[in-house]
Amino acid sequence: MAAKTKQTRSKSKRHLISNFKNKISDFKVRFFIGLFLIGYSIFLTIAFVSFIFSGGADHSKLNIDFFDFIFNSDINVENWTGKLGAYFADLFIHSGIGIAAFALVVALFVGAFKLLRVRLAPLRKTILHCFFVGAWLSIFLGYAFINFVNDYHMLLGGEMGYFMSKWLISSIGNVGIILFLFFTLTIYLTYTFDGFIPLVKKPFADRKTKANASEQKQSSPSKDTIVPSVDEVEEWEAEVPMEVEEEEYQNSGRPELKEELTNTETPKPDLKGQGAIILDTTPNPDSEEDDNDEGFVIEKNKEDDEGYEIKDNRPLGDYDPTLDLSSYQLPPIDLLEDHHADNEPVTDEELNSNKDKIVNTLNDYKIEIKSIKATVGPTVTLYEIVPAPGVRISKIKNLEDDIALSLSALGIRIIAPMPGKGTIGIEVPNSEPEIVSMKTIISSKKFQTTKFELPIALGKTIANETFVIDLTKAPHMLVAGATGQGKSVGLNAIITSLLYKKHPSQIKFVLVDPKKVELNIYSKIERHFLAKLPGDEDEAIITDVAKVVTTLNSLTIEMDARYDLLKKAHARNIKEYNHKFVKRALNPEKGHRFLPYIIVVIDEFADLIMTAGKEVELPIARIAQLARAVGIHMIVATQRPSTNIITGVIKANFPTRVAFKVASMIDSRTILDSPGANQLIGRGDMLITQGSDLVRVQCAFVDTPEVERINDFIGAQKGYPSAFLLPEYFGDSSASEAGEVDMTNKDSFFEEAARVVVANQSGSTSLIQRRFSIGYNRAGRIIDQLEVAGVVGPFEGSKARQVLIPDEMSLEHILRGLQ
């Protein structure tokens, strides 16, 4: 019985804690508590400041019961915050820790903003700092002003500081309390401020350096020997070339410095970074007391690399991919226009009239309904009816044309039954369709607070809710619609959504525009957001069909290269890979890099299929099948959703379909696998499916001048030196026989490149291109020469070539034979 009672109490306690946590997590509760604590912090601050001037006068009035003091109107105080402020000030300052009580106000203030989700400073660290400062300062001031005990308002350390210091004096004496205060402060500063120890150490280090320099002069009179000062050593270290070791990089988060000095004498410093010098000012712990030690100049040989530590071994912070364009600003919402300002709302008369017509039409066919409800959307109004028991759904579904006739409206769509509901939906177009402004969508709370990786805001649903999807979950999108039904506006809305959310380092677009006029407006942001082939001097907007084929094949190479990187990093997708790279768990010297998402937007897909056929379809199908995990996504648009254009392979790999109004039910079935798109009313009215139910959305309208302003704003900011370069694709010429390579004219980097390839055991063209800062074509020629020399194997498509030489000794033998 007692055990049951104890168990019940335990459950009750857990229940109370759970309820408390739930209430605290509620924003309204946090808001009110946080607002109260901010006000209380300000109140205490004013009360404390006033106590400094009026505390002595008010203290004598506080020797009565709290409630008598507060509610007795005959008692007046001089504190600026009244009796309540005087009470709290006397409690915290006089009876507490003195003026160190201001530290409590700081902690309270930071905690209040923490509840409001505003981070002024780390809460836990702030509380610890305030706790130490309050306690230490109280004891220090209590000891310093212990002779002023008779003047209560001069108790700067408060009663706690006074009695604690008095107790410490009786326990350890005056010397003991001074040492106690000194050592506790030193420990606090050491663990709190990283620069405290070097600051204390510097005078001693300077003195020791001068002594060592003097001794070195006496023992080595050579004029060529230079003994640097500590400051010079630090300056020289900053110029030392760095080579990154994979294991050390991953373990410490910092690159390891690695150099070999071949001269036993200290060389003259080259402040321009020429010459390899490693100088370590860290004293040898085994010889720290040896006056003849000159060991702060250290020669590092390969055998000693493993034990070498750089002077500052603090780990680097997270890698910031936005650092190159750290001043980049997202476009302001003011660049968009508020198009729906003149929209006429649907009147009650229209709603009642349509309701009556629907009910009367159903009654004419002896169909009874229990209830009807209307949900007004921007373009259509959804009337949900609950049929009477015994009414067959198919009977209502067959009355679609009759209801449309009675309402004198086009675009009637019956949803029988409504997914997840026990109702039948009838969508009726509004007499005055509303324009959904892109400004409204971008500024909506749903879009602004979304956690999606690639958020795309397409418009508003029938329920007037902002419709946002994540392209990474889509992951490829097929857009279809007849001419003039809003397809191009839809593409602009998709691109605009991403431009309002992502930094140029995080996303790149490959824009394909056979019509040459629809996407050309984005050429101004080439150096920020666009990707193109290397060596292409033309604009990044692709309009030539031949370049489209080359670009798509280049994307398959990029896709394969990214999969190789994910494999090396043991990551399943681009999100995991980039997280590891940001946390510096991947070594850039091993080919790793931050991977931006690549969005391929193809307008007028039908034109490409008719012109290039399988040359376009095959790489698109391959990208659609595999590229999701490595961050490459496709958005393909066409105005002809026929089966010869949208083949089964394309449909199977594009799960997200967007259909604007099409001409026939056959076209609707081709794009959506169901009818409905032929019943839309146009002007941005569309149906969206992500593999399950259809959702009717009114596409957000963004006009050409708005897109121009957004691109002008982005283009006017500092960008990258060029567009994002895709891998070069040579077609069949890439697999040319290595015997055709001219070895009589070897590249100047040939031997160095051979050593790099053997050392890394990777015959990658991009490795040579990156290591020697040369173009892709030159790096490709070097690889071909290495193949003829027998260093690497033959061409294997997008894979790096196999390295045939196991070690550098074997390589040197081959290189000598080529001379």
Side-chain angles (χ1 to χ4, degrees):
M1 191 72 179
K4 285 186 178 180
T5 305
K6 191 174 182 181
Q7 189 175 6
T8 304
R9 287 177 181 174
S10 178
K11 286 183 179 179
S12 177
K13 190 180 293 184
R14 287 199 299 269
H15 182 68
L16 288 173
I17 294 172
S18 176
N19 286 341
F20 178 74
K21 287 183 177 178
N22 291 335
K23 288 181 180 179
I24 287 296
S25 63
D26 182 71
F27 178 75
K28 290 181 180 179
V29 176
R30 290 199 320 272
F31 178 78
F32 287 125
I33 296 176
L35 208 60
F36 169 77
L37 291 179
I38 290 173
Y40 184 58
S41 302
I42 296 171
F43 180 81
L44 285 182
T45 303
I46 298 171
F48 289 177
V49 172
S50 179
F51 180 85
I52 296 173
F53 304 101
S54 61
D58 292 340
H59 176 73
S60 60
K61 303 173 184 178
L62 290 164
N63 294 326
I64 59 175
D65 183 69
F66 170 75
F67 292 101
D68 292 339
F69 172 72
I70 293 296
F71 294 107
N72 190 339
S73 59
D74 294 331
I75 299 176
N76 294 312
V77 294
E78 296 182 18
N79 195 289
W80 303 332
T81 53
K83 290 190 286 186
L84 196 60
Y87 175 80
F88 282 118
D90 188 83
L91 176 68
F92 287 114
I93 295 179
H94 178 272
S95 302
I97 58 177
I99 62 170
F102 281 100
L104 301 178
V105 177
V106 173
L108 198 62
F109 201 71
V110 172
F113 274 93
K114 176 74 172 178
L115 287 172
L116 299 178
R117 299 287 172 88
V118 178
R119 190 175 183 270
L120 296 179
L123 182 59
R124 290 183 182 178
K125 288 186 178 181
T126 302
I127 293 174
L128 290 174
H129 290 321
C130 291
F131 175 80
F132 176 84
V133 170
W136 188 91
L137 194 60
S138 175
I139 296 172
F140 171 76
L141 292 175
Y143 174 72
F145 294 95
I146 196 168
N147 294 326
F148 293 89
V149 66
N150 293 327
D151 300 325
Y152 280 98
H153 65 284
M154 291 297 291
L155 283 175
L156 299 180
E159 288 185 357
M160 190 200 95
Y162 170 72
F163 288 114
M164 280 297 296
S165 61
K166 194 173 180 181
W167 174 75
L168 286 171
I169 291 171
S170 65
S171 300
I172 57 179
N174 287 304
V175 175
I177 192 172
I178 292 172
L179 291 174
F180 170 77
L181 291 170
F182 174 77
F183 282 117
T184 52
L185 181 63
T186 303
I187 292 170
Y188 170 73
L189 293 176
T190 301
Y191 280 94
T192 305
F193 303 105
D194 294 331
F196 178 70
I197 292 297
L199 187 67
V200 174
K201 201 176 167 186
K202 188 173 180 182
F204 302 100
D206 288 342
R207 193 173 302 168
K208 185 173 180 180
T209 301
K210 289 176 183 177
N212 286 341
S214 176
E215 290 175 9
Q216 200 166 26
K217 257 187 182 177
Q218 294 172 5
S219 61
S220 302
S222 173
K223 293 181 181 179
D224 296 331
T225 304
I226 298 175
V227 181
S229 69
V230 174
D231 295 335
E232 288 173 331
V233 169
E234 290 176 3
E235 185 175 6
W236 294 0
E237 283 185 338
E239 299 293 335
V240 174
M242 297 169 68
E243 182 171 333
V244 183
E245 293 289 343
E246 173 77 2
E247 185 177 350
E248 187 68 18
Y249 187 99
Q250 290 182 357
N251 292 339
S252 66
R254 291 185 63 88
E256 177 189 18
L257 298 184
K258 178 183 175 185
E259 280 301 330
E260 182 177 0
L261 287 181
T262 57
N263 195 343
T264 55
E265 292 184 345
T266 307
K268 198 169 184 176
D270 185 350
L271 297 181
K272 291 186 178 179
Q274 298 178 2
I277 303 172
I278 291 291
L279 298 175
D280 189 5
T281 60
T282 307
N284 188 343
D286 297 330
S287 58
E288 209 168 31
E289 297 179 2
D290 186 358
D291 294 337
N292 296 320
D293 183 22
E294 299 173 356
F296 72 92
V297 178
I298 301 176
E299 293 181 2
K300 290 299 296 179
N301 295 317
K302 286 186 178 179
E303 293 80 9
D304 300 328
D305 281 346
E306 187 174 355
Y308 180 72
E309 292 184 5
I310 58 177
K311 188 177 72 170
D312 183 6
N313 60 1
R314 288 175 296 170
L316 290 171
D318 291 350
Y319 169 74
D320 184 5
T322 68
L323 198 59
D324 289 338
L325 298 183
S326 57
S327 60
Y328 176 81
Q329 295 181 351
L330 294 173
I333 298 177
D334 294 341
L335 297 175
L336 298 170
E337 296 179 11
D338 196 359
H339 294 285
H340 75 285
D342 298 328
N343 289 337
E344 291 291 336
V346 179
T347 63
D348 293 340
E349 294 179 4
E350 181 180 345
L351 293 174
N352 288 322
S353 175
N354 289 338
K355 183 260 297 183
D356 292 338
K357 291 175 181 177
I358 291 172
V359 172
N360 292 334
T361 303
L362 294 175
N363 287 334
D364 290 342
Y365 289 91
K366 311 299 184 194
I367 297 174
E368 296 182 5
I369 61 174
K370 293 174 63 177
S371 63
I372 184 169
K373 181 180 74 172
T375 303
V376 180
T379 305
V380 298
T381 298
L382 173 65
Y383 294 88
E384 291 183 72
I385 62 174
V386 178
V391 176
R392 300 184 62 177
I393 294 177
S394 59
K395 196 173 182 181
I396 299 176
K397 181 69 175 173
N398 293 334
L399 296 177
E400 192 169 73
D401 293 336
D402 298 277
I403 295 173
L405 178 64
S406 67
L407 294 171
S408 303
L410 297 174
I412 297 293
R413 196 170 76 101
I414 295 181
I415 309 167
M418 291 284 291
K421 298 181 179 181
T423 61
I424 296 172
I426 303 175
E427 294 175 348
V428 181
N430 298 331
S431 58
E432 294 290 336
E434 177 185 341
I435 297 176
V436 176
S437 169
M438 192 70 193
K439 183 176 184 179
T440 306
I441 301 301
I442 295 295
S443 61
S444 66
K445 181 181 178 181
K446 187 171 184 179
F447 182 76
Q448 290 293 325
T449 60
T450 182
K451 300 298 183 183
F452 291 163
E453 280 290 306
L454 296 176
I456 293 177
L458 289 171
K460 284 189 176 182
T461 64
I462 291 176
N464 267 316
E465 295 178 351
T466 301
F467 186 80
V468 183
I469 64 172
D470 189 353
L471 188 58
T472 60
K473 301 292 195 322
H476 308 290
M477 186 182 297
L478 194 58
V479 183
T483 303
Q485 302 305 318
K487 180 166 50 63
S488 296
V489 174
L491 290 179
N492 284 333
I494 291 170
I495 297 174
T496 300
S497 299
L498 295 170
L499 293 180
Y500 265 92
K501 269 292 185 182
K502 310 304 288 185
H503 186 274
S505 63
Q506 299 169 327
I507 186 173
K508 302 295 177 184
F509 290 98
V510 174
L511 301 180
V512 179
D513 183 16
K515 288 198 297 188
K516 304 180 181 181
V517 293
E518 292 292 346
L519 301 177
N520 188 55
I521 195 170
Y522 296 100
S523 60
K524 297 174 184 177
I525 60 173
E526 176 179 331
R527 293 186 301 112
H528 298 81
F529 284 101
L530 300 191
K532 67 177 183 180
L533 294 170
D536 191 352
E537 301 299 329
D538 298 334
E539 291 182 349
I541 312 296
I542 305 167
T543 56
D544 184 9
V545 175
K547 286 186 178 180
V548 174
V549 176
T550 305
T551 302
L552 290 174
N553 283 286
S554 172
L555 284 167
T556 62
I557 296 175
E558 173 72 11
M559 177 184 72
D560 292 336
R562 289 187 172 203
Y563 267 112
D564 289 340
L565 292 176
L566 262 66
K567 179 182 176 183
K568 291 178 183 177
H570 304 289
R572 294 178 301 171
N573 53 52
I574 186 175
K575 189 173 181 180
E576 289 183 10
Y577 177 88
N578 281 341
H579 178 74
K580 287 187 175 184
F581 190 86
V582 166
K583 294 297 181 183
R584 300 187 184 272
L586 303 176
N587 188 347
E589 289 295 321
K590 297 298 182 183
H592 291 292
R593 54 195 168 95
F594 184 83
L595 301 178
Y597 287 96
I598 298 178
I599 313 299
V600 185
V601 181
I602 301 178
D603 196 11
E604 296 303 332
F605 179 64
D607 183 69
L608 293 180
I609 290 293
M610 292 174 64
T611 308
K614 293 292 183 182
E615 288 185 278
V616 169
E617 183 181 351
L618 291 178
I620 286 179
R622 187 159 183 262
I623 291 170
Q625 287 171 343
L626 299 172
R628 170 185 182 174
V630 293
I632 302 177
H633 304 276
M634 303 198 75
I635 300 171
V636 174
T638 180
Q639 62 178 341
R640 294 177 55 193
S642 53
T643 53
N644 62 326
I645 302 298
I646 303 177
T647 62
V649 176
I650 297 294
K651 284 181 64 177
N653 293 289
F654 282 75
T656 302
R657 322 269 179 80
V658 178
F660 292 87
K661 184 176 176 61
V662 294
S664 65
M665 185 184 294
I666 295 175
D667 288 345
S668 178
R669 289 188 180 277
T670 303
I671 182 68
L672 296 175
D673 294 326
S674 66
N678 56 308
Q679 298 171 311
L680 299 174
I681 63 174
R683 296 183 62 188
D685 190 18
M686 60 185 181
L687 289 171
I688 300 173
T689 178
Q690 290 184 277
S692 55
D693 301 324
L694 291 175
V695 180
R696 192 166 184 173
V697 176
Q698 177 61 37
C699 182
F701 179 68
V702 54
D703 206 357
T704 303
E706 298 174 75
V707 181
E708 286 181 346
R709 287 197 294 270
I710 293 169
N711 284 274
D712 288 340
F713 178 84
I714 295 173
Q717 300 185 59
K718 176 187 174 183
Y720 295 105
S722 67
F724 181 81
L725 296 181
L726 298 171
E728 197 159 359
Y729 173 74
F730 297 102
D732 295 335
S733 63
S734 296
S736 61
E737 295 186 6
E740 299 174 2
V741 178
D742 182 13
M743 291 297 289
T744 60
N745 186 23
K746 293 193 293 291
D747 193 278
S748 59
F749 285 130
F750 173 78
E751 292 190 3
E752 292 182 65
R755 293 186 179 95
V756 169
V757 166
V758 171
N760 290 275
Q761 286 295 302
S762 172
S764 167
T765 306
S766 60
L767 173 64
I768 295 176
Q769 183 184 9
R770 197 167 53 249
R771 183 61 62 90
F772 298 105
S773 300
I774 59 178
Y776 191 92
N777 291 334
R778 185 179 178 186
R781 286 194 298 270
I782 294 175
I783 282 289
D784 290 338
Q785 291 175 352
L786 292 174
E787 180 185 352
V788 173
V791 177
V792 298
F795 178 77
E796 298 181 14
S798 61
K799 295 182 179 179
R801 301 192 187 211
Q802 183 181 1
V803 181
L804 305 177
I805 306 301
D807 51 49
E808 293 187 17
M809 187 176 296
S810 303
L811 174 65
E812 293 300 329
H813 180 72
I814 291 176
L815 294 178
R816 283 197 297 270
L818 292 173
Q819 292 176 353

